[in-house]
Every structure is written in C-alpha cells, then in structure tokens.
Amino acid sequence: MESYTNMPGKLAAPQKAASPTAKSTCTGAEAVMRSLVAEGVDTIFGYPGGAIMPIYDALYDFNHKVNHILVRHEQGATHAAEGYARASGKVGVVFATSGPGATNLITGLADALMDSVPMVCVVGQVSSGLLGTDAFQEANIMSVCAAVTKWNYQVTDADEVADAMAKAFFIARSGKPGPVVIEVTKDAQFAELKKSFNYTPVIELPYYKKEPGFTRKKLQQAATLLNQAQRPLILAGNGVGIAGAEAALLALAEKTGTPVACTLHGLSCIATSHPLYVGMLGMHGNYAPNLLTNQADVLLAIGMRFDDRVTGNLNFYAKQAKVIHIEIDPSELNKVVKADVPLLGDALTILEQLTPLLHTYSHTEWLVEFAKLDAQEEEKVRRKALYPAKVKLTMPEVIRVLGEQTNGEAMVIADVGQHQMMAARYYPFQKHKSYFTSGGLGTMGFALPAALGAKTGAPDREVVAVIGDGCFQMTIQELATIAQYKVPVKVVVLNNNFLGMVRQWQNMFFDGRYSFVKMENPDFAEISRAFGINALRVEKREELPGAIQQMLHSEKPFLLNVLVENEENVFPMMPTGAAVDGMLLE
C-alpha cells in the first residue's frame, strides 16, 4: 500500500469553481462543494449528521449541480459509490459524519481497496480544539482508516480544503485505483478562507511512483515466449476492465489464437460466446481452464493478482509454465507467483505495444483439449443444473432464463455466496463491464446498494442484482433508498432459506453438521411492496419466465423473491488445499 505526504503536488492550470451564490467569501464547507463541482462530480451518496452539517448546508446551494442520494446506512453509501464508480468509470463520492458515521464506512472502504475501486469519502469531525478529548461522536478516523485506504488526510484549516480534495481525486483514480478519506473538522467547515478559492487539479505528486515503464527488451522477451508457445493461456483479470483494454485483449487473443480464461472480476471482458473464451478460473470456475492451467506452457496474466481462489495450492500451481505478468501495481509482481517476464504498467498500453510483435497463429489442437474437458462439465454439471429434473427451481435455471430474456446484455451485480458463483458461471455475458461483485473481501450485503449505484452511474443499462436471502437481509434497508429515488433496478433474490455456501462446505467437509446456517425468512416480496417496490413471489417453474419478463418490462424498481432448491451445491469446486487440477465435478 502506498503512502503519501501532504507535500505540494504539481498542479494543472487553475480552474475557478464559481459559487452558486453572489458571496465574495467562501467557507471550508463551500470549498468542499466547489472542489467537487470542479472535479465534475455529479452524484454523492451520503448520510448527514452533526459534524458534517456545515457541508450539508453548503450542499443545499449546489443541489442543482450535484445529485445527492440519501442512503439508509453509511455502508450502503460506500457500496453504492463502488457500483457507481465501476459502472460509470468515474470516482465514487461519499459523505458521512464523524464517529459511528465514519466507522460505518470501514467495510466499504476495505472492499474498494481490495477490488481497486476509486472512491473519495468526505467525513466530518469534531472541532479541532476537541480532538483527542473523547468528545461526542469523536473517533480517530485517520488511524482507523489507515489500513483500508490508499491515503487519508485530516483538514483543520479551511484553506487546505481545495488542495486536499485535488490530491484525493488524483490518488483515488491513479495507478491501481482505490479509496481515499478526507476528514474535515467542524471549525474548518465553518471558517472562511483567508484567500480566494482556486481549485487546481493535481496531475502529479512528489514521491507518487508512477509505473517506471516496461522496456522494449521486456516486451520482446514476452513476445518470444508467446511466439514459441504451443499451449498458451491468457488469464484476464480486473485490470483489463479498469484499463479499458477489452478490445486490445481481444485483438491479441485473435491474432495468436490463444484461449482466454477470466477471473471472477475479469468476467465480461470477453463475450462468453467467443470461440476463444474457455471459462472462469477459480474455486467454482470452469473445469477446463482450471485443469489446463497446469498443462499450459505459457501463462499471460493480465491485471490479475493470482488470488488464492484462482491458484489453489501454490506448491502445485503451473510449475511447468513460463509466466508473463502485466500489472500496474509493482507490489503485485512476484508476490504470489514468480513472473518470468514482469511487465509493469497499464494493461491497455502494454497490450497495444505487445500485439504487433506477435505472430499470427492458431492453436487448434490446444483448443480441442479445452473442448474435451468442457464436454465433461456439460454432461456432469451444467446440463443437470440448467435443465433440472427436480421439482423445485434451481439457481442455475433462474440465471439461464434471466440470460435468455436479457440476451446476455444486462449488468449483473452479484452478492457473495452460491448465487454469486451461479451468476458468474451461467449468465451469458455479451457486453463489457457487465459483472460486478465483491471479490477480494467477499462482502455480504454488497449487491443491493451497489446495484443502486450502478444504475445511477449507467442509467441506460439494464441493472439486475442477484442476491441470496442471507446477503439481502444485511442491507435490505436500501430498498427504501431505491424507492425514494425511483431508481429502476431489478432485484432477484435466490431464496433457499440457508446460508448456502457455508452449508455446502459443512455438508461436504464437516460431516453434514449444519451449524447455524438454516434461516427462517420473511416474505421478501411482501417486504418489498411495503417499501413501495413492486414484487412477485415465484415458487413454480412455469411461473419463472413470465415473472422475469414482467420484472424486465417494468420501468420501475422490481423484486422477485424466487424460492429455490434448499440444498443445492455449486460444482465444479476446488477443495481447500487442492491444486487447480484437483477440481471435483460432483
């Protein structure tokens, strides 16, 4: 994790953000709002309180320029900002008050840091004269947030606001994106600036280490390995989407005939219907790409960090392969898997310069190996899951019908658990930036507020949240936010009355001792209607297509409470301690 000092940065030409009023003076609170307007911020997710009240008072005068969405919990604000940032490509912005308001942000900050999501959180704090006195709603947020942010800074002087905000946005979006916290004491919010307000966006900071660049020699080494490879495999991760490198990835893959496998966060960077797409990597990923990782002679890893869910037992991971690793964060190179050719930099830039060095090729025999293993998964897993003989609905068939009726073009926001894996495995992604979930931290409760944010950030996309009954009840209050702002997100609750993923592991590895995983749930459709959101309860297979069609055709938010098989398992799976080629099909 990088560390930054509050040293002056290299600034762009000054941009004055005009006040919406005719006042010649500017308070610290107004400076916060002017800074946000100068950065082009159009949406804030937040929750007011005593220590941030002056900023909310200033926001009152800017409500014609900035849309504020009042969430029902500060954690919901962070997840909504994550969804907004990932869908729009902009920085997500959050407001919260001091003490518990700020501490409620911690889970979302950690989530954003793990998944490389740019976010700026502005939090209030007690007046500077009260710092360290255990004043009402005081918490040492700078210390608390240090481990879950890229940078944080406490503003005690109104004249510091603009510089601090400029640095915050630069750091949040630069290099490997992530969250930043700016804390403003209450007296700094009230105080008038001693100088006129000028906002100067930061374009460079001292000691902020940009990638030193990749050399032509390193590019040629990578090209030589790929040109000589007989069994190459591309591992596409989150960095592909962050860099906007989807087209560049496809151009390289098609020129070289190289199969592409995706991490959980890499999903949708290539259409699932593309002949070179061979499936998802990881513990519950597809059979072929996982097994054949240990037969590939060259791995081209792009914007992925060799997470333990992808590698399995490292003692047996891809020991036969030469590894080319494209990564913008130097700390990720050689951290888990040693790279024979590390390429430090932006994925788009590197792919565009690497592809011309590569030979046109077709790895037909190698692709046949993937097809053979995929046929085994089709027979033993997918066919039974997608077209079940069971009386009750299954999660995969719900995802299948959803995929058919959206033509694979919806933006799917998944929560964490079995339903997350089912959505990842069975939704037929055809458009880029179509699958967002909490990957690194695995935060239950992510999807509902994230879907709210995603639809706000990409209003022209159909946004569908896929949520389990356990996750849904962690942030269910954000239904009120969705209803209040009439955000037309669609919510599919896959309700099996269990904490499904934990139950599966207890079933398989703890002798079926179901310890506190059974849930007695309310009728989520009734609850949804109480919030003012249309909803249907779906129990029978023949009801499903019509219910999904009704949901998708609605111009308002809509929820389906779908009762599914109680004790369904996700396969294939890689047991803890197993190698990638030790996946179980059943």
Side-chain angles (χ1 to χ4, degrees):
M1 184 176 65
E2 297 119 326
S3 177
Y4 309 93
T5 61
N6 190 38
M7 297 179 65
K10 184 176 180 181
L11 305 176
Q15 293 183 0
K16 271 193 178 180
S19 170
T21 69
K23 292 167 62 178
S24 60
T25 58
C26 177
T27 66
E30 292 170 34
V32 169
M33 291 309 307
R34 292 191 189 190
S35 298
L36 293 174
V37 171
E39 278 289 346
V41 172
D42 56 23
T43 303
I44 299 167
F45 302 92
Y47 203 97
I52 200 172
M53 207 172 293
I55 290 176
Y56 268 87
D57 184 65
L59 172 62
Y60 188 90
D61 291 327
F62 285 80
N63 60 16
H64 63 294
K65 291 188 175 183
V66 180
N67 178 36
H68 179 277
I69 294 179
L70 177 66
V71 296
R72 297 308 188 260
H73 191 282
E74 291 88 353
Q75 181 181 342
T78 56
H79 295 324
E82 286 186 273
Y84 173 88
R86 293 170 75 168
S88 69
K90 302 177 182 178
V91 177
V93 178
V94 172
F95 279 179
T97 195
S98 63
T103 59
N104 281 344
L105 304 177
I106 302 302
T107 298
L109 290 170
D111 196 86
L113 187 68
M114 289 284 278
D115 289 348
S116 305
V117 182
M119 183 192 304
V120 170
C121 296
V122 178
V123 301
Q125 181 55 286
V126 299
S127 293
S128 55
L130 295 175
L131 290 171
T133 68
D134 294 328
F136 177 66
Q137 289 193 334
E138 180 192 2
N140 188 349
I141 294 304
M142 294 295 94
S143 296
V144 172
C145 291
V148 292
T149 55
K150 284 186 72 178
W151 182 65
N152 58 62
Y153 186 74
Q154 184 183 76
V155 175
T156 58
D157 183 339
D159 285 290
E160 294 182 310
V161 168
D163 284 351
M165 294 293 287
K167 290 175 187 176
F169 276 87
F170 172 81
I171 292 169
R173 64 165 68 98
S174 297
K176 184 178 182 179
V180 172
V181 169
I182 298 297
E183 180 184 82
V184 189
T185 60
K186 198 167 184 179
D187 54 325
Q189 296 174 48
F190 275 124
E192 291 186 358
L193 274 64
K194 302 178 187 69
K195 54 189 179 183
S196 60
F197 177 84
N198 284 301
Y199 189 83
T200 51
V202 171
I203 60 172
E204 187 176 80
L205 282 175
Y207 310 115
Y208 186 92
K209 299 295 184 182
K210 292 183 179 179
E211 64 275 16
F214 46 91
T215 63
R216 180 75 177 182
K217 181 179 178 181
K218 287 287 186 184
L219 278 177
Q220 190 58 61
Q221 289 174 353
T224 299
L225 286 178
L226 288 167
N227 287 333
Q228 293 175 350
Q230 297 301 307
R231 298 182 305 281
L233 177 60
I234 294 172
L235 313 180
N238 195 21
V240 175
I242 292 173
E246 294 94 342
L249 164 67
L250 189 61
L252 185 148
E254 290 182 338
K255 182 176 183 180
T256 60
T258 303
V260 180
C262 292
T263 68
L264 188 67
H265 279 319
L267 290 173
S268 79
C269 72
I270 180 173
T272 58
S273 58
H274 195 284
L276 290 175
Y277 176 71
V278 292
M280 182 175 74
L281 299 162
M283 180 174 284
H284 290 288
N286 293 107
Y287 195 52
N290 281 287
L291 264 66
L292 294 181
T293 293
N294 275 6
Q295 294 183 32
D297 55 5
V298 175
L299 296 179
L300 174 57
I302 309 171
M304 53 88 71
R305 55 190 177 86
F306 292 103
D307 180 80
D308 62 288
R309 288 298 192 262
V310 167
T311 65
N313 191 326
L314 280 169
N315 293 323
F316 305 100
Y317 181 77
K319 296 301 181 182
Q320 78 296 333
K322 296 292 185 182
V323 176
I324 304 165
H325 192 180
I326 300 173
E327 175 60 50
I328 200 167
D329 182 356
S331 70
E332 294 293 348
L333 293 172
N334 299 315
K335 183 176 80 175
V336 177
V337 172
K338 179 174 173 53
D340 296 277
V341 183
L343 294 172
L344 183 62
D346 175 74
L348 175 60
T349 303
I350 292 175
L351 290 175
E352 287 180 337
Q353 295 191 31
L354 177 60
T355 301
L357 304 178
L358 301 176
H359 299 160
T360 301
Y361 203 81
S362 177
H363 293 284
T364 305
E365 294 181 3
W366 177 227
L367 287 166
V368 167
E369 295 302 309
F370 285 91
K372 289 178 181 177
L373 292 174
D374 190 64
Q376 293 182 37
E377 182 179 341
E378 174 71 20
E379 179 184 355
K380 294 187 177 182
V381 179
R382 288 203 299 269
R383 191 178 305 154
K384 297 174 184 177
L386 293 170
Y387 301 95
K390 297 177 181 178
V391 174
K392 294 191 75 171
L393 288 163
T394 66
M395 287 184 271
E397 70 173 314
V398 176
I399 301 301
R400 171 181 61 80
V401 176
L402 177 66
E404 290 170 351
Q405 294 202 18
T406 57
N407 298 314
E409 295 182 348
M411 184 181 290
V412 176
I413 315 295
D415 224 295
V416 174
Q418 286 186 315
H419 59 280
Q420 175 190 36
M421 296 297 111
M422 296 300 194
R425 286 178 49 79
Y426 295 113
Y427 190 82
F429 302 103
Q430 300 302 311
K431 296 183 71 171
H432 300 324
K433 293 178 174 56
S434 290
Y435 184 75
F436 299 134
T437 189
S438 172
L441 198 63
T443 304
M444 293 178 67
F446 167 85
L448 187 64
L452 157 69
K455 185 65 176 177
T456 305
D460 294 334
R461 293 289 303 272
E462 182 75 80
V463 176
V464 181
V466 177
I467 311 177
D469 47 317
C471 293
F472 186 54
Q473 294 176 85
M474 288 199 169
T475 51
I476 193 171
Q477 67 273 10
E478 300 307 336
L479 284 177
T481 311
I482 291 169
Q484 178 174 341
Y485 294 95
K486 299 178 175 59
V487 183
V489 300
K490 310 302 164 55
V491 180
V492 177
V493 180
L494 298 178
N495 184 355
N496 59 9
N497 292 106
F498 270 106
L499 297 176
M501 190 63 85
V502 181
R503 183 212 55 77
Q504 176 171 340
W505 281 71
Q506 289 178 347
N507 172 258
M508 297 182 68
F509 306 112
F510 291 86
D511 300 321
R513 291 158 56 90
Y514 289 175
S515 181
F516 300 98
V517 289
K518 176 70 174 174
M519 304 190 79
E520 292 187 10
N521 296 320
D523 188 326
F524 296 130
E526 290 288 348
I527 288 178
S528 181
R529 286 190 283 267
F531 276 110
I533 295 174
N534 291 332
L536 291 174
R537 177 185 172 100
V538 181
E539 297 185 59
K540 298 178 181 178
R541 183 164 286 109
E542 57 269 23
E543 297 172 339
L544 181 64
I548 290 180
Q549 184 179 56
Q550 184 175 342
M551 175 187 73
L552 294 173
H553 285 178
S554 173
E555 296 181 357
K556 299 178 179 180
F558 203 104
L559 181 142
L560 295 184
N561 178 25
V562 186
L563 277 63
V564 296
E565 186 71 31
N566 297 101
E567 298 190 36
E568 183 180 5
N569 290 337
V570 187
F571 285 106
M573 73 170 295
M574 188 193 311
T576 298
V580 287
D581 53 8
M583 290 195 83
L584 305 174
L585 274 176
E586 53 190 359

